[in-house]
Amino acid sequence: MNHAVDPAKPVTGLILSGGGARAAYQVGVLGAIADLLGDSSDNPFPVIVGTSAGAINAVGLACGALHFSEAARRLSEVWKSFHCGEIYRSDWPGVLRQAGRFFGHSMLGLGGDLPVALLDSTPLRELLGRQLDFSGIAAAVRMRQLRAVAVSAFGYESGQAVTFYQGRATIDPWFRHRRVGVPTRLSLDHLLASASIPLIFPPVKINREYFGDGAVRQSAPISPALHLGANRVLVVGVSGNPQGAEASRAVPRPNSGKPPTLAQISGHMLNSTFIDSLEGDIEQLQRLNHMSRLIPAELHAKGLGLKPVEVLVISPSQPLDQIAARHRHEMPRSMRFFLRGPGATRASGAGVLSYLLFEPGYCNELIELGYQDAMAQKEGLCRFLALTTPA
């Protein structure tokens, strides 16, 4: 496979993972990077890869890659003013109609072959249609400010994780076990498919197959960036799981002895879909990098050793479900009504809430957290992106 990449030249990839409203955290990190870039409008990420809500942020950046800092700030402005009604129908008629369709189709087999889900994501399509100019991707590729941008989705019939990418013609498609890369001209359908959380948002038909959230079977979330030519990656996660020394000091939550609510179970399932595979992929890549450092230099010179991939990870320093619990009163009344029964409006069920709470208070706190966490790694970020550290 020939990616036409100079191995001596670093090609930096940006990985934006999925996670619904949690992706507001990524916007804060991107805002910090924009501030560190200063007056430079150059795009520091030739390769941008996103999944689920991270795909929306990724394409938003790619559409404005000719003016990266401006694109990052525009993303921030949009996220700061979000309301649930701009992502899914949260009004009483819309919620009741969608709930009736979902249960009628699931329990009684009514509704034919129309795809259904718990929420109607029509407002998201309208929002993205207003905010994104896809012609900016081709312009950025043509001006050499972007090598490729990619979004991942899951094919419900084929069972494959498909990475749809738009970029330079020298990038070959790839075929791995249940993972393929397909060159295309990205559109709204690709974004909506990647962001379609199973059962919550309806799948989207692309060509002859229905696709849903790419995190469902993306066992190696970093690999698309490597296929597209990146040899170093910045990963912006949304887990909020303590790492390193903080993890060893973490105090386990006391057991209540009560059976888990549906919201608790759903929260753990969402976390395993969106978070666990990314964290596992990072650990595996770090182990491979450690192995490559043990291989003698003469073997590397002959091309017989593993090529190390530099990885920098920025992830939340605070648990996002706890932040969501503090803002649960912001959820529209219709949604609180339907989420009360499964337990999502309780603190113990806030994991689900953290994915669905597209409201200003919650999103703004996540954006600020992302900004502060990135600035806490300012020296490492500047070194990674070859920037002059600000005074």
Side-chain angles (χ1 to χ4, degrees), residues 22 58 69-70 74 94 110 130 145 154 159 161 203 205 226 244 259 276 313 319 321 331 345 359 367-368 372 375-376:
R22 289 173 171 237
S69 294
E70 182 181 329
R74 188 162 56 247
L110 303 177
R130 293 193 306 269
Q145 284 293 309
F154 170 70
K205 193 173 186 179
L226 305 183
D276 293 350
V313 181
D321 55 349
M331 181 67 78
T345 55
E359 290 293 332
I367 290 171
E368 179 61 24
Q372 296 300 332
M375 284 302 186

Side-chain angles (χ1 to χ4, degrees), residues 251-319:
V251 178
R253 297 178 183 178
N255 295 322
S256 65
K258 298 179 180 179
T261 63
L262 180 60
Q264 281 180 288
I265 296 171
S266 300
H268 287 299
M269 292 178 65
L270 288 171
N271 287 343
S272 68
T273 297
F274 290 105
I275 295 169
D276 293 350
S277 60
L278 177 61
E279 293 180 343
D281 201 25
I282 293 171
E283 288 182 6
Q284 183 177 11
L285 193 55
Q286 290 171 339
R287 285 196 295 269
L288 290 173
N289 285 341
H290 179 69
M291 288 176 59
S292 72
R293 288 191 287 269
L294 300 177
I295 296 175
E298 57 270 18
L299 294 182
H300 282 293
K302 295 178 180 179
L304 300 177
L306 296 170
K307 294 182 179 179
V309 177
E310 185 179 359
V311 182
L312 178 63
V313 181
I314 299 178
S315 59
S317 57
Q318 299 177 29

Side-chain angles (χ1 to χ4, degrees), residues 46 56 58 104 115 184 193-194 213-214 242 244-245 275 287 312 316 321 377 390:
I56 296 173
T184 189
S194 183
D213 201 299
I275 295 169
R287 285 196 295 269
L312 178 63
D321 55 349
Q377 296 192 47

Side-chain angles (χ1 to χ4, degrees), residues 117-166:
L118 285 168
L119 299 175
D120 180 356
S121 60
T122 302
L124 177 59
R125 177 181 287 273
E126 297 170 353
L127 174 69
L128 295 179
R130 293 193 306 269
Q131 296 292 339
L132 296 177
D133 179 6
F134 285 86
S135 66
I137 297 176
V141 172
R142 188 170 58 252
M143 298 295 291
R144 299 284 175 171
Q145 284 293 309
L146 184 68
R147 176 175 171 79
V149 57
V151 303
S152 294
F154 170 70
Y156 280 106
E157 189 168 346
S158 65
Q160 291 182 323
V162 180
T163 298
F164 298 100
Y165 67 89
Q166 182 175 344

Side-chain angles (χ1 to χ4, degrees), residues 6-171:
D6 181 358
K9 182 180 179 181
V11 178
T12 305
L14 174 66
I15 313 291
L16 299 176
S17 60
R22 289 173 171 237
Y25 176 85
Q26 299 169 351
V27 176
V29 175
L30 295 172
I33 293 172
D35 285 352
L36 293 175
L37 287 172
D39 296 331
S40 173
S41 63
D42 290 344
N43 172 29
F45 304 107
V47 174
I48 304 175
V49 176
T51 304
S52 193
I56 296 173
N57 288 337
V59 171
L61 282 180
C63 288
L66 290 177
H67 303 281
F68 176 86
S69 294
E70 182 181 329
R73 293 187 181 102
R74 188 162 56 247
L75 270 177
S76 181
E77 290 172 3
V78 172
W79 274 89
K80 285 180 177 179
S81 61
F82 262 164
H83 290 280
C84 290
E86 296 177 281
I87 309 301
Y88 50 82
R89 290 282 300 271
S90 60
D91 57 297
W92 278 105
V95 170
L96 290 171
R97 177 176 174 272
Q98 192 67 17
R101 285 187 61 195
F102 180 80
F103 288 107
H105 185 279
S106 303
M107 304 298 180
L108 304 176
L110 303 177
D113 294 331
L114 290 175
V116 295
L118 285 168
L119 299 175
D120 180 356
S121 60
T122 302
L124 177 59
R125 177 181 287 273
E126 297 170 353
L127 174 69
L128 295 179
R130 293 193 306 269
Q131 296 292 339
L132 296 177
D133 179 6
F134 285 86
S135 66
I137 297 176
V141 172
R142 188 170 58 252
M143 298 295 291
R144 299 284 175 171
Q145 284 293 309
L146 184 68
R147 176 175 171 79
V149 57
V151 303
S152 294
F154 170 70
Y156 280 106
E157 189 168 346
S158 65
Q160 291 182 323
V162 180
T163 298
F164 298 100
Y165 67 89
Q166 182 175 344
R168 298 180 190 173
T170 55
I171 302 174

Side-chain angles (χ1 to χ4, degrees), residues 357-380:
L357 191 52
F358 293 91
E359 290 293 332
Y362 175 62
C363 290
N364 277 269
E365 186 166 346
L366 261 57
I367 290 171
E368 179 61 24
L369 179 64
Y371 187 93
Q372 296 300 332
D373 285 349
M375 284 302 186
Q377 296 192 47
K378 180 172 65 175
E379 291 187 7

